[in-house]
Amino acid sequence: MPEPEVVASRYAAAPGSVAALGAVGSGQAAGAAEQRRLLWRSAIKWPMYAVAVMPALLAAGWRWGQGEVLRLDQLLLFLLAAVLLLAWENLANDVHDAETGVDTHGKPHSLVNLTGRRATVARWARIALVAGLLLMALVAWRSTPLVLALVLGCCALGYLYQGPPFRLGYHGLGEPLCWLAFGPLATAAALLALGPAASSIPWRTALLLGSGAAVATTLVLFCSHFHQVEEDADHGKRSPVVQLGTATAAGLVPWFVALTLALQWAPVLLGHWPLTALLGGLALAPGRQLIGLLQQQHDSPSAIAGSKFLALRFQTFNGLGLALGLALGRWL
Protein backbone atom coordinates (compact mmCIF):
# COMPACT_ATOMS: atom_id res chain seq x y z
CA MET A 1 0.00 0.00 0.00
CA PRO A 2 1.41 3.45 -0.85
CA GLU A 3 2.43 5.83 1.91
CA PRO A 4 -0.42 8.12 3.03
CA GLU A 5 1.48 11.25 2.05
CA VAL A 6 2.03 9.92 -1.48
CA VAL A 7 -1.65 9.18 -1.82
CA ALA A 8 -2.45 12.62 -0.47
CA SER A 9 -0.21 14.38 -2.98
CA ARG A 10 -1.72 12.48 -5.89
CA TYR A 11 -5.20 12.94 -4.56
CA ALA A 12 -4.89 16.71 -4.24
CA ALA A 13 -4.90 17.16 -8.01
CA ALA A 14 -7.09 14.20 -8.94
CA PRO A 15 -10.54 14.64 -10.53
CA GLY A 16 -11.95 12.58 -7.65
CA SER A 17 -10.71 14.91 -4.90
CA VAL A 18 -12.78 15.61 -1.81
CA ALA A 19 -14.33 18.70 -3.36
CA ALA A 20 -15.44 16.74 -6.42
CA LEU A 21 -16.87 13.64 -4.78
CA GLY A 22 -20.39 14.62 -5.75
CA ALA A 23 -19.48 14.84 -9.42
CA VAL A 24 -17.89 11.44 -9.95
CA GLY A 25 -19.74 8.52 -11.44
CA SER A 26 -20.51 5.28 -9.68
CA GLY A 27 -17.37 3.59 -11.03
CA GLN A 28 -15.14 6.43 -9.87
CA ALA A 29 -16.93 6.73 -6.53
CA ALA A 30 -15.45 3.47 -5.20
CA GLY A 31 -11.93 4.65 -6.03
CA ALA A 32 -12.65 8.07 -4.55
CA ALA A 33 -13.97 6.46 -1.37
CA GLU A 34 -10.79 4.38 -1.06
CA GLN A 35 -8.66 7.48 -1.56
CA ARG A 36 -10.70 9.32 1.03
CA ARG A 37 -10.15 6.44 3.46
CA LEU A 38 -6.40 6.72 2.89
CA LEU A 39 -6.61 10.47 3.46
CA TRP A 40 -8.30 9.86 6.81
CA ARG A 41 -5.57 7.37 7.67
CA SER A 42 -2.98 10.02 6.83
CA ALA A 43 -4.90 12.65 8.81
CA ILE A 44 -4.95 10.49 11.94
CA LYS A 45 -1.18 9.97 11.58
CA TRP A 46 -1.05 7.13 14.08
CA PRO A 47 2.61 6.24 13.32
CA MET A 48 3.57 9.78 14.34
CA TYR A 49 2.70 9.01 17.95
CA ALA A 50 5.98 7.12 18.23
CA VAL A 51 7.55 10.53 18.88
CA ALA A 52 5.16 11.10 21.81
CA VAL A 53 5.90 7.85 23.63
CA MET A 54 9.66 7.65 23.05
CA PRO A 55 10.84 9.83 25.98
CA ALA A 56 8.92 7.65 28.44
CA LEU A 57 10.12 4.40 26.85
CA LEU A 58 13.71 5.61 26.99
CA ALA A 59 13.31 6.62 30.62
CA ALA A 60 11.79 3.21 31.39
CA GLY A 61 14.63 1.37 29.63
CA TRP A 62 17.25 3.42 31.46
CA ARG A 63 15.68 2.99 34.90
CA TRP A 64 15.21 -0.76 34.40
CA GLY A 65 18.77 -1.18 33.15
CA GLN A 66 20.10 0.71 36.19
CA GLY A 67 18.16 -1.57 38.52
CA GLU A 68 16.14 1.38 39.79
CA VAL A 69 12.46 1.49 40.71
CA LEU A 70 10.20 1.49 37.64
CA ARG A 71 6.54 2.27 38.27
CA LEU A 72 4.62 0.57 35.47
CA ASP A 73 1.30 2.20 36.38
CA GLN A 74 2.92 5.61 36.04
CA LEU A 75 4.44 4.58 32.71
CA LEU A 76 1.04 3.65 31.28
CA LEU A 77 -0.54 6.90 32.48
CA PHE A 78 2.36 8.94 31.11
CA LEU A 79 2.17 7.23 27.71
CA LEU A 80 -1.56 7.86 27.39
CA ALA A 81 -1.20 11.49 28.44
CA ALA A 82 1.67 12.01 25.98
CA VAL A 83 -0.43 10.62 23.11
CA LEU A 84 -3.32 12.94 23.99
CA LEU A 85 -1.03 15.96 24.14
CA LEU A 86 0.50 15.17 20.76
CA ALA A 87 -3.04 14.76 19.40
CA TRP A 88 -3.75 18.28 20.66
CA GLU A 89 -0.68 19.60 18.89
CA ASN A 90 -1.52 17.88 15.61
CA LEU A 91 -5.16 19.04 15.67
CA ALA A 92 -4.25 22.57 16.71
CA ASN A 93 -1.62 22.68 13.97
CA ASP A 94 -4.29 21.91 11.36
CA VAL A 95 -6.50 24.67 12.80
CA HIS A 96 -3.74 27.28 12.91
CA ASP A 97 -2.48 26.41 9.44
CA ALA A 98 -6.03 26.70 8.09
CA GLU A 99 -6.02 30.30 9.34
CA THR A 100 -2.97 31.14 7.21
CA GLY A 101 -4.14 29.12 4.20
CA VAL A 102 -0.86 27.17 3.96
CA ASP A 103 -2.71 23.82 3.86
CA THR A 104 -5.41 24.83 1.38
CA HIS A 105 -3.89 23.06 -1.65
CA GLY A 106 -0.87 21.14 -0.41
CA LYS A 107 -2.45 19.16 2.41
CA PRO A 108 -5.76 17.51 1.45
CA HIS A 109 -5.42 15.20 4.45
CA SER A 110 -5.66 18.10 6.91
CA LEU A 111 -8.60 17.38 9.21
CA VAL A 112 -9.90 20.88 8.57
CA ASN A 113 -9.88 20.21 4.82
CA LEU A 114 -11.41 16.76 5.22
CA THR A 115 -14.24 17.83 7.50
CA GLY A 116 -14.68 21.45 6.47
CA ARG A 117 -15.30 22.21 10.16
CA ARG A 118 -12.47 24.19 11.67
CA ALA A 119 -14.42 24.97 14.86
CA THR A 120 -15.09 21.26 15.44
CA VAL A 121 -11.44 20.35 14.96
CA ALA A 122 -10.47 23.15 17.35
CA ARG A 123 -12.90 21.71 19.92
CA TRP A 124 -11.34 18.25 19.57
CA ALA A 125 -7.93 19.83 20.08
CA ARG A 126 -9.03 21.50 23.33
CA ILE A 127 -10.57 18.26 24.60
CA ALA A 128 -7.32 16.36 23.90
CA LEU A 129 -5.30 19.08 25.65
CA VAL A 130 -7.47 19.13 28.77
CA ALA A 131 -7.59 15.32 28.98
CA GLY A 132 -3.83 15.02 28.51
CA LEU A 133 -3.06 17.65 31.15
CA LEU A 134 -5.48 16.09 33.63
CA LEU A 135 -3.73 12.74 33.22
CA MET A 136 -0.34 14.41 33.62
CA ALA A 137 -1.63 16.16 36.73
CA LEU A 138 -2.53 12.74 38.13
CA VAL A 139 0.96 11.46 37.27
CA ALA A 140 2.48 14.52 38.96
CA TRP A 141 0.27 14.11 42.05
CA ARG A 142 1.56 10.55 42.38
CA SER A 143 5.20 11.62 41.96
CA THR A 144 6.22 15.29 42.02
CA PRO A 145 4.72 18.61 40.75
CA LEU A 146 7.88 19.05 38.71
CA VAL A 147 6.46 16.55 36.19
CA LEU A 148 3.51 18.80 35.40
CA ALA A 149 5.73 21.88 35.26
CA LEU A 150 8.02 20.23 32.70
CA VAL A 151 5.08 19.01 30.61
CA LEU A 152 3.51 22.48 30.66
CA GLY A 153 6.85 23.73 29.35
CA CYS A 154 6.60 21.24 26.48
CA CYS A 155 3.06 22.42 25.72
CA ALA A 156 4.19 26.05 25.77
CA LEU A 157 6.90 25.25 23.22
CA GLY A 158 4.29 23.47 21.10
CA TYR A 159 2.09 26.54 21.11
CA LEU A 160 4.99 28.86 20.32
CA TYR A 161 5.71 26.66 17.31
CA GLN A 162 2.26 26.89 15.76
CA GLY A 163 -0.01 29.30 17.62
CA PRO A 164 -0.71 32.97 16.95
CA PRO A 165 0.72 35.51 17.34
CA PHE A 166 4.03 33.66 17.66
CA ARG A 167 4.02 31.02 14.87
CA LEU A 168 7.76 30.50 15.36
CA GLY A 169 7.62 27.54 12.99
CA TYR A 170 6.91 30.07 10.23
CA HIS A 171 10.28 31.67 11.03
CA GLY A 172 12.25 28.44 10.79
CA LEU A 173 12.46 27.85 14.55
CA GLY A 174 10.32 24.72 14.74
CA GLU A 175 13.27 22.33 14.81
CA PRO A 176 15.04 23.73 17.92
CA LEU A 177 11.68 23.97 19.72
CA CYS A 178 11.02 20.33 18.81
CA TRP A 179 14.40 19.24 20.16
CA LEU A 180 13.86 21.04 23.46
CA ALA A 181 10.35 19.68 23.97
CA PHE A 182 10.99 16.04 23.05
CA GLY A 183 14.53 16.00 24.39
CA PRO A 184 15.52 17.30 27.84
CA LEU A 185 12.06 18.50 28.96
CA ALA A 186 9.98 15.41 28.12
CA THR A 187 12.76 13.00 29.13
CA ALA A 188 13.26 14.71 32.48
CA ALA A 189 9.49 14.60 33.10
CA ALA A 190 9.41 10.87 32.33
CA LEU A 191 12.40 10.11 34.55
CA LEU A 192 10.70 11.85 37.46
CA ALA A 193 7.32 10.26 36.83
CA LEU A 194 8.58 6.67 36.67
CA GLY A 195 10.60 6.70 39.86
CA PRO A 196 10.11 7.57 43.52
CA ALA A 197 9.33 11.14 44.51
CA ALA A 198 12.25 13.51 43.86
CA SER A 199 12.89 17.14 44.71
CA SER A 200 15.18 18.06 41.80
CA ILE A 201 15.17 17.65 38.03
CA PRO A 202 17.71 15.10 36.69
CA TRP A 203 18.97 17.38 33.91
CA ARG A 204 22.26 15.57 33.35
CA THR A 205 20.60 12.19 32.85
CA ALA A 206 17.82 13.73 30.75
CA LEU A 207 20.32 15.41 28.43
CA LEU A 208 22.44 12.29 28.11
CA LEU A 209 19.43 10.08 27.48
CA GLY A 210 17.22 12.34 25.41
CA SER A 211 19.54 14.41 23.23
CA GLY A 212 20.18 11.88 20.46
CA ALA A 213 16.62 10.61 20.35
CA ALA A 214 15.36 14.21 20.15
CA VAL A 215 17.60 14.83 17.13
CA ALA A 216 15.88 11.87 15.44
CA THR A 217 12.48 13.34 16.33
CA THR A 218 13.57 16.72 14.97
CA LEU A 219 14.55 14.99 11.72
CA VAL A 220 10.92 13.89 11.29
CA LEU A 221 9.78 17.53 11.44
CA PHE A 222 12.62 18.64 9.16
CA CYS A 223 11.69 16.08 6.50
CA SER A 224 8.01 17.03 6.60
CA HIS A 225 8.85 20.29 4.79
CA PHE A 226 10.44 18.89 1.63
CA HIS A 227 7.30 18.11 -0.37
CA GLN A 228 5.54 21.44 0.34
CA VAL A 229 8.25 24.02 -0.27
CA GLU A 230 6.24 26.04 -2.80
CA GLU A 231 3.09 26.14 -0.65
CA ASP A 232 5.09 27.13 2.43
CA ALA A 233 6.96 29.89 0.61
CA ASP A 234 3.77 31.27 -0.93
CA HIS A 235 2.18 31.61 2.52
CA GLY A 236 5.16 33.04 4.36
CA LYS A 237 6.20 29.86 6.13
CA ARG A 238 9.99 30.12 6.12
CA SER A 239 10.84 26.56 7.13
CA PRO A 240 14.54 25.59 7.10
CA VAL A 241 13.99 23.77 3.79
CA VAL A 242 12.46 26.92 2.25
CA GLN A 243 15.35 29.04 3.50
CA LEU A 244 18.12 26.63 2.49
CA GLY A 245 16.65 25.12 -0.65
CA THR A 246 15.94 21.44 -1.08
CA ALA A 247 19.45 20.49 -2.26
CA THR A 248 21.26 22.06 0.71
CA ALA A 249 18.62 20.81 3.15
CA ALA A 250 18.95 17.26 1.80
CA GLY A 251 22.69 17.51 2.42
CA LEU A 252 22.00 18.08 6.12
CA VAL A 253 20.07 14.83 6.58
CA PRO A 254 23.22 12.63 6.90
CA TRP A 255 24.37 14.96 9.67
CA PHE A 256 21.08 14.50 11.52
CA VAL A 257 21.55 10.73 11.32
CA ALA A 258 25.21 10.89 12.35
CA LEU A 259 24.53 13.25 15.26
CA THR A 260 21.71 11.05 16.56
CA LEU A 261 23.99 8.01 16.72
CA ALA A 262 27.05 9.92 17.93
CA LEU A 263 25.15 11.31 20.94
CA GLN A 264 24.05 7.77 21.83
CA TRP A 265 27.25 5.89 21.11
CA ALA A 266 29.52 8.33 22.98
CA PRO A 267 28.19 7.23 26.41
CA VAL A 268 28.92 3.63 25.42
CA LEU A 269 32.49 4.47 24.44
CA LEU A 270 32.94 6.40 27.69
CA GLY A 271 31.67 3.46 29.72
CA HIS A 272 28.48 5.13 30.98
CA TRP A 273 26.13 2.81 29.05
CA PRO A 274 26.34 -0.92 28.27
CA LEU A 275 27.37 -2.19 24.86
CA THR A 276 23.76 -3.22 24.19
CA ALA A 277 22.88 0.48 23.90
CA LEU A 278 24.41 0.25 20.44
CA LEU A 279 21.14 -1.42 19.40
CA GLY A 280 20.00 2.10 18.52
CA GLY A 281 22.04 1.47 15.37
CA LEU A 282 19.14 -0.66 14.09
CA ALA A 283 17.93 2.62 12.63
CA LEU A 284 20.82 2.77 10.14
CA ALA A 285 18.89 0.95 7.40
CA PRO A 286 15.95 3.40 7.19
CA GLY A 287 18.43 6.23 7.75
CA ARG A 288 20.38 5.21 4.64
CA GLN A 289 17.15 4.88 2.68
CA LEU A 290 16.12 8.38 3.70
CA ILE A 291 19.49 9.87 2.79
CA GLY A 292 19.48 8.20 -0.63
CA LEU A 293 15.91 9.25 -1.42
CA LEU A 294 16.44 12.91 -0.57
CA GLN A 295 19.80 13.13 -2.31
CA GLN A 296 18.32 11.81 -5.54
CA GLN A 297 14.78 13.23 -5.45
CA HIS A 298 14.97 16.32 -3.23
CA ASP A 299 13.37 18.54 -5.89
CA SER A 300 10.53 16.15 -6.76
CA PRO A 301 7.66 16.72 -4.28
CA SER A 302 5.64 13.70 -5.41
CA ALA A 303 8.64 11.36 -5.05
CA ILE A 304 9.59 12.52 -1.54
CA ALA A 305 6.13 13.05 -0.05
CA GLY A 306 6.72 10.01 2.15
CA SER A 307 10.18 11.06 3.32
CA LYS A 308 8.94 12.01 6.78
CA PHE A 309 7.68 8.44 7.21
CA LEU A 310 11.17 7.13 6.47
CA ALA A 311 12.46 9.64 9.03
CA LEU A 312 9.83 8.37 11.44
CA ARG A 313 10.99 4.79 10.85
CA PHE A 314 14.54 5.89 11.64
CA GLN A 315 13.33 7.63 14.83
CA THR A 316 11.25 4.64 15.94
CA PHE A 317 13.91 1.97 15.32
CA ASN A 318 16.53 4.15 16.96
CA GLY A 319 14.50 4.90 20.07
CA LEU A 320 13.20 1.37 20.57
CA GLY A 321 16.65 -0.11 19.98
CA LEU A 322 18.22 2.24 22.50
CA ALA A 323 15.50 1.65 25.12
CA LEU A 324 15.83 -2.11 24.73
CA GLY A 325 19.63 -1.93 24.80
CA LEU A 326 19.62 0.12 28.01
CA ALA A 327 17.17 -2.31 29.63
CA LEU A 328 19.30 -5.32 28.68
CA GLY A 329 22.27 -3.69 30.38
CA ARG A 330 20.81 -4.84 33.68
CA TRP A 331 22.13 -8.33 32.99
CA LEU A 332 25.58 -7.30 31.78
Side-chain angles (χ1 to χ4, degrees), residues 28-330:
Q28 293 173 305
E34 173 64 12
Q35 288 181 325
R36 185 176 176 85
R37 185 186 69 80
L38 291 174
L39 283 180
W40 272 100
R41 176 186 165 193
S42 184
I44 295 170
K45 294 183 281 200
W46 65 265
M48 297 296 291
Y49 290 91
V51 306
V53 303
M54 203 56 69
L57 295 181
L58 287 172
W62 184 85
R63 294 194 69 89
W64 181 261
Q66 294 293 311
E68 297 188 3
V69 173
L70 175 59
R71 301 169 65 186
L72 292 178
D73 55 342
Q74 289 283 87
L75 174 61
L76 294 175
L77 287 172
F78 195 101
L79 291 173
L80 180 55
V83 167
L84 286 168
L85 292 175
L86 186 60
W88 158 70
E89 187 159 356
N90 287 336
L91 292 169
N93 189 52
D94 280 358
V95 172
H96 295 314
D97 280 347
E99 294 171 357
T100 66
V102 70
D103 286 347
T104 302
H105 301 292
K107 194 176 178 182
H109 57 285
S110 161
L111 277 171
V112 174
N113 290 339
L114 277 172
T115 64
R117 299 178 179 179
R118 187 170 66 184
T120 300
V121 177
R123 190 179 308 116
W124 293 345
R126 289 192 293 271
I127 291 171
L129 174 62
V130 171
L133 288 178
L134 285 175
L135 278 176
M136 278 299 181
L138 175 60
V139 171
W141 180 69
R142 295 166 53 129
S143 54
T144 169
L146 292 172
V147 172
L148 185 58
L150 289 165
V151 171
L152 286 173
C154 294
C155 293
L157 292 176
Y159 187 82
L160 288 173
Y161 165 68
Q162 61 189 344
F166 308 102
R167 301 190 194 278
L168 296 185
Y170 281 66
H171 301 285
L173 297 175
E175 278 70 13
L177 293 176
C178 177
W179 184 86
L180 282 171
F182 289 97
L185 289 182
T187 307
L191 286 168
L192 288 170
L194 303 187
S199 58
S200 61
I201 300 174
W203 287 120
R204 184 177 181 277
T205 302
L207 281 169
L208 194 65
L209 184 60
S211 292
V215 173
T217 298
T218 303
L219 178 61
V220 178
L221 176 62
F222 185 75
C223 289
S224 70
H225 303 307
F226 276 94
H227 70 288
Q228 55 190 42
V229 170
E230 291 185 9
E231 290 85 356
D232 285 352
D234 289 344
H235 292 85
K237 189 172 184 178
R238 303 286 296 169
S239 71
V241 180
V242 170
Q243 295 184 43
L244 296 171
T246 57
T248 302
L252 292 178
V253 173
W255 292 97
F256 274 96
V257 172
L259 182 59
T260 297
L261 298 177
L263 288 170
Q264 295 172 351
W265 291 357
V268 177
L269 296 176
L270 293 173
H272 300 309
W273 289 354
L275 283 173
T276 47
L278 297 176
L279 283 173
L282 292 171
L284 273 172
R288 291 180 60 187
Q289 284 181 286
L290 176 64
I291 292 169
L293 174 65
L294 289 176
Q295 285 181 340
Q296 297 170 18
Q297 305 284 348
H298 63 84
D299 56 352
S300 177
S302 61
I304 59 173
S307 61
K308 76 176 181 181
F309 290 100
L310 271 177
L312 182 63
R313 200 169 298 162
F314 170 77
Q315 182 265 346
T316 302
F317 286 7
N318 172 256
L320 291 178
L322 177 59
L324 176 62
L326 290 171
L328 290 175
R330 183 170 186 166

